[in-house]
Amino acid sequence: MDEGTPAYIGGLKAKDYVMSIDGTIVKSMDELNAIKNTHKIGDKVVLKIERDGKEMDITITLSQMP
């Protein structure tokens, strides 16, 4: 995970497994990106992730890649 990216700043880590975005279950990066692309820069999205066997929600503010 590159420092400075919205995901990194929002707290996402390299081995996190993204289970859903804004309550919609995703099974692939294509599905995740399709939902993300319905939002605009500055919007906040909630990701449900699994990290080290535990589920948690993190909120990420969408921004342009540096």
Side-chain angles (χ1 to χ4, degrees), residues 3-40:
E3 290 184 27
T5 63
Y8 180 86
I9 292 167
L12 202 61
K13 295 187 179 183
K15 295 190 180 202
D16 290 346
Y17 173 73
V18 178
M19 301 167 60
S20 69
I21 178 171
D22 285 342
T24 301
I25 295 171
V26 293
K27 296 181 181 176
S28 69
M29 281 302 295
D30 288 339
E31 289 180 5
L32 176 70
N33 285 326
I35 296 168
K36 177 190 65 124
N37 291 336
T38 66
H39 293 78
K40 61 184 186 280

